[in-house]
Amino acid sequence: MTAAMLTGTQKAALVLIQMGREAASGVMQQLSEQEIEQVTAEITRLRTVDEETVAEVLEEFQRTAQRSLSVASGGYSYAKRLLEETLGREKAAEVLERLQSRVQVQPFEFLMHADARQVVSLLSGEHPQTIALVLAHLRPEHASAIMAGFTPETQTIVARRIALMEGASPDVVSLIADQLKLKATNLITSQELTSVGGVQPLVEIINRADAATEKLILEGLSSQDPELADQIRQLMFVFADITLLEDRAIQLVMRAVETATLATALKGADDSVRDKILRNMSERARENLLEEIDALGPVRISLVEEARSRVVQVIRGLEERGEIMISRDGEDEYVA
C-alpha cells in the first residue's frame, strides 16, 4: 500500500494515529460534528500501514501545509513541528529535504481553498456517492464546513457512504473530477485511492476523549451504522464497566480521583456502580462522598458525563501503566 492509494480523509486519520492516542484525542475534541464523523469512519477502517507509506503520508501532509502557507499563516511551522514530534528531528529533517524535489497534486486540489458555500453549490444535485468521494479528498476542517451546508438528510447519507467507501478507481476519480472541473472552470488532476479497515485505533482514541466527543462519535455512528457502533462499544471501557473491576483495582482508582469528581460522576449512576465504589471505601470516606453527593443537588447531565469521562481516563491511565487490567468479555481482571 502506498500513500497514493489512500483518500484524503484516510490520510488525516493516519496522521492522527501517528500523533499518538493522547494527542489525537485532544485534536478530536477540537473538531466539529461532521469532521469527527468523517475522520472517525476512516480510523475504524484503517489497518496496519507500512513505515514507508506512513512517511509518504506525512510528507504529503507537509506539502499541503506548505501550499497553504500563503493563505493561512502557521501551516508550515505546525506541519514541521508535527513531523518532529512524530518522527523525531533527524527523520523529520530527511522528510523535509525530500519534499524539495517531490510534489504531488491532489485530485480535487481546485477545491482545496474554495469557499465552503461555493463547494456546496457546486455539489448540490450531485449523487451522494460523488459528494462523499469529493469530501473524502479534502482537508477534514474544509470537508466539515462543506458538510454543514447540506441538509441533515444529505449529511447522514453522505457520512455513511464515506464510512463504507470501499474504493474508487483512478478512472472514476478522473471522470468525476473532470465533470466538476467543467462546472467550476478549474484545473484538476486524478489520483488513485483505496480504502482499508479496522476499529481498534478509534476505540483507543475515544477512550481518551472527553465525554462530549465520545457521545458525538458514538451517536453519529449509531445513526449511520448501528452494527459498527455496537462493535465499538463492545471494545470500549465506559463508566458503567466499573463493576467489572476487581476491588483492589477500584481502590487504586479511588485514590486517583477527587471526591468532588467522583460525587458528580455518581449522580444518577446505576445502583450496581454506586455500590461497587462505596464498598471499596473506608467508612469515613464513604460518608464524606455520600454527603457531597447529597449536597450537589440537581446536576446538569453534561457535567455528570464530563466527570465520568475523567474517571474513565484515570482507569485507562492505570491500565496503560500496568497497574490494573480491564476485562471486556467477562474475563477476570487483576492488579499487577
Side-chain angles (χ1 to χ4, degrees):
M1 180 185 299
T2 64
M5 298 172 66
L6 299 175
T7 67
T9 307
Q10 289 166 347
K11 293 169 185 175
L14 182 58
V15 170
L16 278 175
I17 293 173
Q18 291 301 305
M19 291 172 66
R21 294 188 294 268
E22 294 294 342
S25 174
V27 172
M28 292 283 278
Q29 294 172 28
Q30 305 301 315
L31 305 183
S32 63
E33 180 175 348
Q34 291 81 12
E35 187 173 358
I36 287 176
E37 290 180 0
Q38 239 186 317
V39 177
T40 292
E42 296 304 342
I43 292 176
T44 66
R45 303 173 64 83
L46 191 62
R47 295 196 179 98
T48 302
V49 180
D50 60 75
E51 183 178 350
E52 182 177 352
T53 299
V54 172
E56 290 179 3
V57 169
L58 292 175
E59 290 174 13
E60 186 173 330
F61 175 79
Q62 163 64 19
R63 286 196 299 274
T64 301
Q66 196 168 19
R67 287 197 300 270
S68 303
L69 187 59
S70 61
V71 178
S73 61
Y76 179 85
S77 297
Y78 174 80
K80 180 174 181 291
R81 184 169 63 254
L82 177 60
L83 284 173
E84 290 178 345
E85 292 175 352
T86 304
L87 304 176
R89 287 190 176 183
E90 183 175 350
K91 181 64 176 179
E94 295 176 3
V95 171
L96 291 171
E97 183 176 355
R98 290 199 298 271
L99 291 180
Q100 303 303 318
S101 59
R102 295 178 59 185
V103 176
Q104 186 174 4
V105 180
Q106 293 289 339
F108 296 96
E109 188 176 28
F110 73 96
L111 297 175
M112 292 295 182
H113 304 298
D115 182 81
R117 291 170 296 182
Q118 294 177 337
V119 180
V120 170
S121 297
L122 177 68
L123 296 178
S124 293
E126 295 290 342
H127 191 280
Q129 188 66 26
T130 297
I131 299 175
L133 181 63
V134 173
L135 294 184
H137 281 78
L138 302 179
R139 300 187 314 277
E141 64 272 19
H142 193 197
S144 172
I146 295 169
M147 182 81 90
F150 293 107
T151 64
E153 293 78 8
T154 299
Q155 290 177 5
T156 298
I157 295 173
V158 172
R160 177 171 171 77
R161 287 179 179 272
I162 291 173
L164 301 180
M165 191 179 295
E166 292 296 334
S169 69
D171 290 340
V172 171
V173 174
S174 179
L175 178 61
I176 292 174
D178 287 342
Q179 292 174 342
L180 292 177
K181 180 183 65 175
L182 292 176
K183 295 175 65 175
T185 63
N186 281 287
L187 298 177
I188 191 69
T189 302
S190 64
Q191 178 182 0
E192 183 176 354
L193 61 130
T194 299
S195 198
V196 291
V199 301
Q200 190 56 42
L202 175 64
V203 171
E204 297 293 342
I205 290 176
I206 294 178
N207 272 328
R208 288 160 179 79
D210 60 21
T213 302
E214 174 184 320
K215 181 179 180 181
L216 183 61
I217 292 174
L218 292 178
E219 286 183 349
L221 285 176
S222 293
S223 65
Q224 301 161 27
D225 194 330
E227 292 184 3
L228 178 59
D230 288 341
Q231 180 183 2
I232 292 173
R233 285 191 178 94
Q234 290 173 7
L235 294 173
M236 288 181 60
F237 183 93
V238 295
F239 185 74
D241 291 333
I242 284 178
T243 57
L244 301 176
L245 297 179
E246 275 192 345
D247 289 345
R248 290 184 61 196
I250 290 289
Q251 293 162 16
L252 286 176
V253 173
M254 296 304 98
R255 295 174 191 170
V257 177
E258 295 182 356
T259 302
T261 298
L262 186 56
T264 303
L266 287 176
K267 291 289 290 187
D270 292 340
D271 290 342
S272 58
V273 174
R274 186 184 179 110
D275 293 343
K276 181 76 171 183
I277 291 176
L278 293 176
R279 285 201 310 269
N280 285 281
M281 303 180 73
S282 67
E283 182 176 354
R284 181 176 181 180
R286 183 165 53 249
E287 292 177 354
N288 290 338
L289 178 60
L290 291 174
E291 289 178 1
E292 184 140 8
I293 292 176
D294 291 338
L296 284 174
V299 180
R300 292 198 303 273
I301 293 178
S302 60
L303 294 179
V304 173
E305 291 178 341
E306 181 180 352
R308 292 178 180 178
S309 177
R310 291 178 185 174
V311 175
V312 169
Q313 289 174 8
V314 168
I315 294 172
R316 293 290 300 176
L318 290 171
E319 182 192 31
E320 286 186 351
R321 295 192 295 273
E323 297 181 50
I324 66 174
M325 292 192 68
I326 299 173
S327 168
R328 292 175 175 78
D329 295 306
E331 300 176 352
D332 290 338
E333 63 285 333
Y334 54 87
V335 181

